[in-house]
Amino acid sequence: MSPVVGISAYAEQARWGPAWDLPATLLPQYYVDSVAASGGVPVLLPPVAGIAGALDRLDGLLLAGGGDIDPGRYGSPTSEHTAGVRADRDTAEVDLLAGALARGLPVLGVCRGMQLLNVCRGGTLNQHLPDLVGHAGHRQRVGVFDTHPVTVAEHSRTAQVLGRTMLDVPTYHHQSVADLGRNVSATAWAEDGTVEALEYTDVFNVLGVQWHPEMGTDPSLFVWLTERAAER
């Protein structure tokens, strides 16, 4: 049996076809294709009340990218640059993560998903990275995933999964991890010091990356997730 991997999805107004402009549950197809190509069965998890109840039928969890997390969840006022906050999605994903940890499911956080892994452990975020690092290299063009180099800590689980400690990654974000949460360890960094990956030190099967592996050619993170899910 192939492992079933739940992927947190968006609830947004969307347009398709010649006539439709409606509220929709959606997710970029690249996440779905990446999970499927690694041997998993992808299932979308909409941000609705009670969605954590689906975890009993899942083998793994992927927290996808998306809009910014409500700064109130890490005790900060909202910056003028913070955008795309969806309270229903924040709540659904916090519940999904808590339920996945309680069940021992492997978890991969991507971009926003990595930031959520930190916030749920009491960590904080920088709400507008260009103000901190002085450049827009992490989101260079609107709607385009440009790349930059990342260095991964040797002997970390992240390095073991990736099979290397130097790589160029597809990136698109304007926020970043600030203070690390409880039992959260940074495991990769951009040249400007931005945290690019993290692990839970007390839970073996939790990884997060700030970049977007679904937009690249390296399947190793998705293979890791589905292999850990298959072990269940």
Side-chain angles (χ1 to χ4, degrees):
M1 296 292 290
S2 299
V4 180
V5 176
I7 313 173
S8 61
Y10 303 58
E12 298 287 348
Q13 192 77 14
R15 298 182 63 182
W16 68 96
W20 304 114
D21 186 350
L22 297 168
T25 296
L26 56 88
L27 185 79
Q29 185 69 26
Y30 296 101
Y31 289 103
V32 172
D33 290 345
S34 295
V35 170
S38 67
V41 176
V43 174
L44 269 60
L45 303 173
V48 296
I51 190 61
L55 291 165
D56 288 334
R57 302 184 182 186
L58 301 179
D59 302 302
L61 175 64
L62 171 55
L63 296 171
D68 296 335
I69 298 166
D70 181 0
R73 289 189 175 268
Y74 49 93
S76 295
T78 301
S79 161
E80 62 179 326
H81 299 290
T82 293
V85 173
R86 299 287 186 271
D88 54 352
R89 185 172 182 189
D90 288 352
T91 298
E93 291 186 345
V94 168
D95 291 346
L96 284 167
L97 176 58
L101 294 175
R103 291 166 173 81
L105 301 184
V107 179
L108 174 63
V110 170
C111 198
R112 165 198 163 91
M114 185 194 87
Q115 295 170 5
L116 189 81
L117 292 177
N118 190 51
V119 169
C120 285
R121 285 291 182 93
T124 63
L125 303 179
N126 300 304
Q127 290 188 54
H128 195 56
L129 188 54
D131 290 345
L132 180 66
V133 300
H135 63 82
H138 296 271
R139 190 172 71 178
Q140 299 175 37
R141 295 176 290 172
V142 175
V144 177
F145 291 86
D146 290 299
T147 64
H148 65 68
V150 162
T151 301
V152 184
E154 285 190 88
H155 310 302
S156 64
R157 292 200 302 276
T158 307
Q160 292 173 358
V161 169
L162 294 170
R164 51 189 165 150
T165 58
M166 300 290 295
L167 65 159
D168 289 328
V169 299
T171 185
Y172 196 83
H173 65 102
H174 82 109
Q175 297 195 337
S176 67
V177 165
D179 298 320
L180 291 169
R182 298 177 302 277
N183 297 314
V184 177
S185 175
T187 56
W189 301 266
E191 291 177 333
D192 58 18
T194 299
V195 174
E196 290 286 336
L198 57 76
E199 304 170 0
Y200 281 4
T201 60
D202 59 336
V203 181
F204 184 74
N205 279 342
V206 176
L207 296 177
V209 294
Q210 185 61 73
W211 66 87
H212 282 267
E214 79 282 2
M215 300 305 301
T217 58
D218 181 1
S220 57
L221 288 160
F222 298 102
V223 170
W224 168 83
L225 179 62
T226 55
E227 287 182 347
R228 297 292 81 74
E231 291 173 358
R232 294 181 45 82

